[in-house]
Amino acid sequence: EPEVTQTPSHQVTQMGQEVILRCVPISNHLYFYWYRQILGQKVEFLVSFYNNEISEKSEIFDDQFSVERPDGSNFTLKIRSTKLEDSAMYFCASTPGGARTVSGNTIYFGEGSWLTVV
Amino acid sequence: KQEVTQIPAALSVPEGENLVLNCSFTDSAIYNLQWFRQDPGKGLTSLLLIQSSQREQTSGRLNASLDKSSGRSTLYIAASQPGDSATYLCAVQLGDDNNDMRFGAGTRLTVKP
């Protein structure tokens, strides 16, 4: 079954350093997302991406964050200058889109990238 | 502001029991509601999606219902098995053109052999 893949699975970084988390969404999907889950807390929406641009972003997604689709398969999340509070599991996800149907809206998550900022 | 609450936070049952997990949301103007399963340290797997115009969805031993007007959804698991042990999350999508999904904190289910 097609799946969303994420790398790295775990990264430790110094405060203030830049981090890039990588994702390969399911190949025929149109919508891409980043979510995060701080340990012990709820899953939180960060940003959605469609047609090569951000379609929605939360208040968490400030100027320190950026997303990019550098080629036809990868989708990246960059944190410019990491803070301790950025430590979390970051999930990439994708949806087929294109129809107001169950199959069009079912969201597929990757296994996550666990980011630890020290 | 949409808030999603799940009760109970944790549940432990013997194998074979039928069980119900609850999800409530404060704003009934939702586009859809999804139930997810999350195993420890893993990603989320979508179990069932209910469009706002639907009242329930079924997949195998799972049945999810939606009462949008009262802001409630339930996930019914029949004949529970140890392999069902996981955290179950519900999430509401806020709108057709709004991809923000609001998650509950989850119910941690343990099914004992």
Side-chain angles (χ1 to χ4, degrees):
Chain A
E1 185 174 323
E3 58 181 19
V4 175
T5 58
Q6 290 186 240
T7 54
S9 57
H10 190 190
Q11 182 162 352
V12 180
T13 189
Q14 297 268 348
M15 192 169 54
Q17 294 295 306
E18 177 183 282
V19 160
I20 297 176
L21 305 179
R22 292 183 166 77
C23 169
V24 179
I26 295 174
S27 63
N28 61 345
H29 284 192
L30 302 177
Y31 291 82
F32 316 119
Y33 311 86
W34 284 100
Y35 286 80
R36 79 172 186 189
Q37 187 175 30
I38 296 171
L39 187 64
Q41 297 188 23
K42 293 182 179 182
V43 176
E44 299 173 292
F45 170 77
L46 292 178
V47 65
S48 61
F49 193 86
Y50 171 71
N51 200 26
N52 284 318
E53 61 183 22
I54 291 174
S55 55
E56 202 81 38
K57 62 182 180 179
S58 72
E59 58 271 16
I60 301 168
F61 194 87
D62 62 21
D63 293 343
Q64 293 299 309
F65 292 89
S66 61
V67 289
E68 196 176 39
R69 189 154 162 83
D71 52 43
S73 60
N74 290 286
F75 180 52
T76 62
L77 173 70
K78 182 193 290 187
I79 308 175
R80 197 179 347 268
S81 177
T82 49
K83 303 188 279 284
L84 295 177
E85 54 265 37
D86 294 327
S87 296
M89 180 76 94
Y90 287 82
F91 293 109
C92 175
S94 66
T95 56
R100 298 184 183 191
T101 62
V102 168
S103 59
N105 285 285
T106 297
I107 188 167
Y108 296 81
F109 280 81
E111 293 279 283
S113 292
W114 183 248
L115 176 65
T116 303
V117 182
V118 297
Chain B
K1 184 184 171 190
Q2 179 74 270
E3 292 288 341
V4 180
T5 304
Q6 290 187 246
I7 296 172
L11 181 63
S12 180
V13 301
E15 182 177 3
E17 227 177 71
N18 302 324
L19 58 100
V20 174
L21 307 181
N22 297 290
C23 173
S24 62
F25 45 96
T26 53
D27 187 344
S28 62
I30 63 169
Y31 181 60
N32 64 44
L33 182 145
Q34 293 195 56
W35 282 92
F36 295 87
R37 170 186 172 132
Q38 185 177 28
D39 292 287
K42 299 289 187 181
L44 284 68
T45 301
S46 181
L47 298 173
L48 290 165
L49 183 153
I50 312 177
Q51 302 276 63
S52 61
S53 58
Q54 298 174 319
R55 293 196 66 84
E56 68 176 350
Q57 283 283 342
T58 297
S59 176
R61 294 182 293 109
L62 305 180
N63 175 277
S65 68
L66 174 64
D67 183 346
K68 210 172 74 150
S69 60
S70 68
R72 295 180 191 276
S73 176
T74 60
L75 179 67
Y76 175 82
I77 302 177
S80 58
Q81 303 169 357
D84 295 331
S85 299
T87 297
Y88 291 81
L89 305 172
C90 75
V92 297
Q93 184 171 342
L94 302 187
D96 181 11
D97 58 352
N98 185 337
N99 296 294
D100 188 349
M101 285 177 65
R102 297 293 167 86
F103 281 80
T107 294
R108 190 171 69 252
L109 173 65
T110 303
V111 182
K112 295 178 286 190

